[in-house]
Amino acid sequence: MEIKESTTFILPFTVDLDLTKGIMKNPKNHIIRHASDMKGYYKNDEALKKIIQEGDPIHYEVFEVPVPNEYGHLMYCISKLYPGKIGEEYFMTKGHYHTILETGEIYLCLKGEGYMFMKTSDGQFNAQRFEPGKMVYCPPYWAHRSVNTSSKEELVSFCVYSGDAGHNYGEIETEGFPKRGMERNGKCVII
Ligand code: S6P
Ligand code: ZN
């Protein structure tokens, strides 16, 4: 067997997921983002400040058992985005491009409802609906962000992407997405 320098040889393994609770048991990395980690992302800064002052609730969690960050390996995680709004805008993840732009990602929705917002650096925008059993394919070159449009339930997805993909938050942090998920008359409008 020839082992390539680019791709570390590891032993097979199994991971326990709780699909109803939306958690990965014994994750090695557990990222927790609070409202205070989202400064600058929402349209209504004042509404965000108020929510931070009123207790700074958890916004989303990511559970990972990381594999080598290398070509050939497949990174995977569970992403759990809580329900809520900042003003009229639904809770969302920060969103990112992959550092290696030509790597895509699969999101399988396990629980809840919402959208995957995607955009390209030349201004294209696309929104795909999340419902349990729907798999969203985020192709290479598209930045992506999840939006939870439920008033009561978490949006839980299982994600798979290339081990060497990396995360690039910089451009989204400064420029955002061309559209937002806003509640109007009890429904989500994308404007
Ligand atoms: C990783 C994948 C997800 C997100 C997670 C949180 O490539 O897209 O695991 O990391 O949904 O979103 P964000 O934008 O804060 O990384
Ligand atoms: Zn990603």
Side-chain angles (χ1 to χ4, degrees), residues 54-127:
E54 284 171 357
D56 196 14
I58 294 186
H59 229 73
Y60 59 97
E61 297 178 74
V62 183
F63 301 84
E64 293 176 337
V65 179
V67 295
N69 297 329
E70 294 171 349
Y71 168 81
H73 283 283
L74 294 173
M75 192 71 103
Y76 55 89
C77 66
I78 282 193
S79 164
K80 182 176 184 177
L81 172 60
Y82 287 82
K85 281 177 289 154
I86 303 294
E88 296 179 317
E89 192 171 2
Y90 291 104
F91 275 16
M92 61 190 179
T93 58
K94 290 185 172 192
H96 58 268
Y97 286 99
H98 288 160
T99 311
I100 298 191
L101 255 185
E102 61 275 22
T103 56
E105 181 158 347
I106 280 174
Y107 272 76
L108 175 62
C109 179
L110 302 173
K111 185 180 175 194
E113 60 166 80
Y115 288 94
M116 173 68 90
F117 283 4
M118 289 165 278
K119 76 158 200 169
T120 60
S121 55
D122 63 359
Q124 297 179 66
F125 175 83
N126 192 289

Side-chain angles (χ1 to χ4, degrees), residues 42-53 86-87:
Y42 290 98
K43 194 169 179 185
N44 189 336
D45 269 338
E46 287 307 311
L48 180 65
K49 266 189 210 154
K50 192 159 175 266
I51 280 180
I52 295 170
Q53 281 162 5
I86 303 294

